[in-house]
Amino acid sequence: NYTEGPNGNRATLRGLVPNASYIAQALVFDSQNFARVSQTRFTVPDPSYRPPTVADPARAVLGPDGRSVRLTVLGADDKGEEKLNYTWQLTGPRGQPVPQLQYSPGPSGETATARLFGPGTYTATARITDDGSTPATSAVTFTVAETVGPLS
């Protein structure tokens, strides 16, 4: 369906399939009658899609040495938790190297561990995605204390 409106021309497309990608092209003429092709790519959303949610928020548990951390989070999804993917972003104090995360997915959510390089405040953010496009996020902030070595 094509209509000319006060703010330009519009086309209405009907019968599109949810979760399908389409490319729409239009031949556009400028005031000097020069034509160019205008193109846009879009995906029709599934009307039944529900984004993942956070079932159990992000938590940080410091190890006994005070230099390692265990991060956990649990997501929920209407199509089953096995469809979920987890990623973590860990930021620390300025001037400190970014700790490398080691992941261990499991049936009770996602766990990541990291060795921390020094004292300060860290923030870990979990991003939970499914096969759709809207993520759920959960963040936790924790502090690593300055430690004093043994006296000699």
Side-chain angles (χ1 to χ4, degrees):
N1 184 14
Y2 173 80
T3 58
E4 259 185 72
N7 297 327
N9 301 327
R10 283 183 237 176
T12 303
L13 305 173
R14 298 187 194 282
L16 300 176
V17 177
N19 294 327
S21 294
Y22 296 90
I23 296 173
Q25 293 182 332
L27 193 56
V28 180
F29 293 91
D30 65 14
S31 60
Q32 297 176 349
N33 219 20
F34 288 108
R36 68 178 175 86
V37 174
S38 179
Q39 176 176 304
T40 187
R41 180 182 304 261
F42 63 95
T43 300
V44 177
D46 182 346
S48 67
Y49 171 71
R50 301 287 178 264
T53 58
V54 176
D56 193 13
R59 297 173 199 249
V61 177
L62 288 173
D65 63 356
R67 291 290 185 245
S68 62
V69 65
R70 182 173 174 262
L71 305 167
T72 60
V73 69
L74 176 62
D77 190 69
D78 62 340
K79 293 187 172 105
E81 281 67 36
E82 66 277 356
K83 298 275 186 185
L84 296 177
N85 296 304
Y86 298 85
T87 55
W88 288 90
Q89 180 181 6
L90 181 59
T91 57
R94 281 193 173 166
Q96 296 283 350
V98 176
Q100 294 290 350
L101 293 168
Q102 296 178 342
Y103 292 96
S104 29
S108 60
E110 178 74 14
T111 300
T113 56
R115 183 91 180 130
L116 305 171
F117 296 108
T121 300
Y122 293 80
T123 299
T125 303
R127 187 172 193 263
I128 306 166
T129 57
D130 59 8
D131 52 4
S133 61
T134 306
T137 59
S138 182
V140 61
T141 299
F142 58 95
T143 301
V144 174
E146 182 85 38
T147 58
V148 177
L151 298 174
S152 32

